[in-house]
């Protein structure tokens, strides 16, 4: 199947710093990518839809100035958590749709811990 | 607003058993439905995708069915193995390129 990668897989940062997470579609072009957040033992929560060459669409309740999304190319979207706080600690997962079937493929996730 | 329900939240079965995981959704006007597997601390692996015009899809020991009119999908796992232990998530898409709506998942444990 299609491959989506994320980098880094784990990151620990201090409160107040910013962290960037990369999401890449390795063998296909993705005009749309999605960013999710997952708390322990809970399902995925969609944060935003990232569109190549345009502004991301954020879900209700997600602070766009805190979670900056950039989708500069058809294979790369980035999520920057600005001025991170311990409550931002979570598992962040990106995904992308493949082709006209709109089958969604997910990256392996990034575990963010803010101390 | 589309809502997806997966019951029960957890299931434990002995190895070798055939089992069915259920998924229900409130709005039958879906574009497609996808079943995923998630291992602890990992991302999601796509298992099967069923388009709205299809009734079922098969991959190896897995078979997924879709009944749009009743708002239900099932994932059938034949001859379960301990390696099948994971959380299984059902998700529906209501339109092309629209977001997925996820169920909360079923955590499956297959006992050796």
């Amino acid at each position: 199947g299609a491959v989506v990668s994320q980098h880094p897989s784990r990151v620990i940062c201090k409160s107040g710093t910013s962290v960037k997470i990369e999401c890449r579609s390795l063998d296909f072009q993705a005009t749309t990518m999605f960013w999710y957040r997952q708390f322990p033992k809970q399902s995925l929560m969609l944060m935003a839809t990232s569109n190549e060459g345009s502004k991301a669409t954020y879900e209700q309740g997600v602070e766009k100035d805190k979670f900056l999304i950039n989708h500069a190319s058809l294979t790369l979207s980035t999520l920057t958590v600005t001025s991170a706080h311990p409550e931002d600690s979570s598992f962040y997962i990106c995904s992308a749709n493949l082709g006209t079937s709109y089958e969604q493929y997910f990256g392996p996730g990034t575990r963010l811990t803010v101390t | 607003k589309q809502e997806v329900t997966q019951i029960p939240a957890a299931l434990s079965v002995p190895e070798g058993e055939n089992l069915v995981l259920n998924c229900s959704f409130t709005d039958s006007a879906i574009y497609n439905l996808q079943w995923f597997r998630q291992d602890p601390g990992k991302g999601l692996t796509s298992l099967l995708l069923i388009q709205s015009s299809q009734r079922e899809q098969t991959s190896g020991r897995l078979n997924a069915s879709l009944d749009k009119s009743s708002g239900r999908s099932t994932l059938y796992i034949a001859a379960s193995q301990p390696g099948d232990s994971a959380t299984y998530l059902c998700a529906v898409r209501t339109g092309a390129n629209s977001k997925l709506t996820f169920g909360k998942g079923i955590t499956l444990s297959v006992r050796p």
Side-chain angles (χ1 to χ4, degrees):
Chain A
V3 179
V4 175
S5 71
Q6 275 183 249
H7 179 80
S9 58
R10 288 179 178 273
V11 57
I12 301 173
C13 70
K14 292 187 176 180
S15 186
T17 61
S18 296
V19 174
K20 180 185 285 188
I21 303 170
E22 292 186 349
C23 177
R24 294 180 185 272
S25 55
L26 296 185
D27 49 0
F28 66 102
Q29 293 183 330
T31 55
T32 303
M33 291 185 174
F34 302 88
W35 285 96
Y36 294 84
R37 183 173 179 175
Q38 187 176 36
F39 292 101
K41 299 189 183 300
Q42 295 191 26
S43 192
L44 283 74
M45 181 192 80
L46 180 66
M47 299 174 65
T49 301
S50 167
N51 300 297
E52 187 267 336
S54 64
K55 291 182 179 180
T57 303
Y58 290 81
E59 295 297 301
Q60 191 173 7
V62 178
E63 298 177 60
K64 60 181 67 176
D65 293 331
K66 180 167 188 60
F67 298 100
L68 300 178
I69 292 173
N70 183 277
H71 194 156
S73 77
L74 288 172
T75 59
L76 174 64
S77 176
T78 60
L79 168 67
T80 301
V81 183
T82 63
S83 186
H85 290 285
E87 57 264 31
D88 298 325
S89 298
S90 191
F91 192 54
Y92 293 87
I93 313 177
C94 72
S95 71
N97 285 334
L98 174 64
T100 55
S101 68
Y102 296 107
E103 183 168 4
Q104 199 159 120
Y105 287 88
F106 283 76
T110 297
R111 173 73 58 192
L112 170 64
T113 303
V114 185
T115 62
Chain B
K1 178 187 173 186
Q2 179 74 270
E3 292 182 1
V4 180
T5 303
Q6 294 183 256
I7 297 173
L11 187 62
S12 179
V13 300
E15 181 177 3
E17 191 163 300
N18 300 324
L19 56 101
V20 174
L21 306 181
N22 294 306
C23 170
S24 62
F25 46 94
T26 55
D27 185 351
S28 62
I30 65 170
Y31 186 83
N32 61 29
L33 181 147
Q34 209 165 344
W35 281 93
F36 296 91
R37 167 185 174 142
Q38 185 176 30
D39 293 287
K42 306 292 185 182
L44 276 66
T45 300
S46 178
L47 297 175
L48 289 164
L49 170 73
I50 308 179
Q51 301 294 350
S52 62
S53 59
Q54 298 174 324
R55 294 299 298 268
E56 66 177 341
Q57 284 288 326
T58 298
S59 176
R61 294 183 294 109
L62 305 179
N63 176 279
S65 67
L66 174 63
D67 184 344
K68 273 200 320 178
S69 60
S70 66
R72 293 180 183 178
S73 176
T74 61
L75 178 67
Y76 174 83
I77 303 177
S80 58
Q81 304 169 358
D84 295 329
S85 299
T87 296
Y88 291 82
L89 294 132
C90 165
V92 300
R93 178 178 283 105
T94 53
N97 216 28
S98 67
K99 65 180 182 180
L100 284 173
T101 301
F102 281 87
K104 293 186 176 181
I106 298 173
T107 299
L108 172 66
S109 174
V110 181
R111 307 186 301 271

